[in-house]
Amino acid sequence: QVQLVESGGGLVQPGGSLRLSCVASGRIFSIYALGWYRQAPGKQRELVATVTSDGSTDYEDSVKGRFTVSRDNAKNTVYLQMNSLNPEDTAVYYCNAGVRRSMTYAGYLDYWGRGTQVTVST
């Protein structure tokens, strides 16, 4: 199995910063894509940011210029640096990974973490 564990969430004032981390463990041959998604109460889960193995990144429009996604391949870890946070960023943030699990099978499978709460409020 593959496990993803997020950390770094919490309560922060508007304009503040947080850094989220997600560590992947288990049977992993390689990881193609790592991403962050979020879900606010009453809303659908949405993509926040992704980074692929070649370093290509993608961001949701509302976080461009404020959030930065990065990865440490040696540690199977992805980070999300969040700056200039506003109340609209309040949500549970989930880590997602596209994982190749063996040398024999070249396909990639999706895995999800449990999520970490980010609350932006005075």
Side-chain angles (χ1 to χ4, degrees):
Q1 300 295 319
V2 174
Q3 297 83 38
L4 303 178
V5 180
E6 304 99 332
S7 62
L11 175 65
V12 65
Q13 294 184 358
S17 298
L18 286 173
R19 190 181 80 152
L20 305 183
S21 300
C22 173
V23 180
S25 62
R27 185 177 178 182
I28 299 171
F29 182 79
S30 64
I31 302 176
Y32 170 67
L34 287 162
W36 291 95
Y37 295 72
R38 66 186 180 187
Q39 187 168 20
K43 297 183 178 180
Q44 293 184 342
R45 188 174 299 186
E46 65 176 1
L47 184 146
V48 178
T50 60
V51 56
T52 59
S53 58
D54 65 356
S56 178
T57 59
D58 188 43
Y59 295 93
E60 192 266 334
D61 286 343
S62 69
V63 309
K64 289 180 179 178
R66 300 189 298 120
F67 292 8
T68 302
V69 63
S70 60
R71 61 191 287 172
D72 185 336
N73 292 327
K75 298 180 179 179
N76 284 337
T77 300
V78 62
Y79 305 95
L80 184 67
Q81 179 66 47
M82 304 186 294
N83 299 325
S84 301
L85 287 162
N86 58 61
E88 289 70 35
D89 297 315
T90 296
V92 177
Y93 284 70
Y94 297 91
C95 179
N96 172 262
V99 178
R100 180 177 175 177
R101 298 195 64 201
S102 75
M103 182 178 66
T104 303
Y105 179 60
Y108 288 83
L109 301 175
D110 284 336
Y111 294 90
W112 292 89
R114 293 181 178 179
T116 184
Q117 178 70 49
V118 172
T119 302
V120 185
S121 176
T122 58

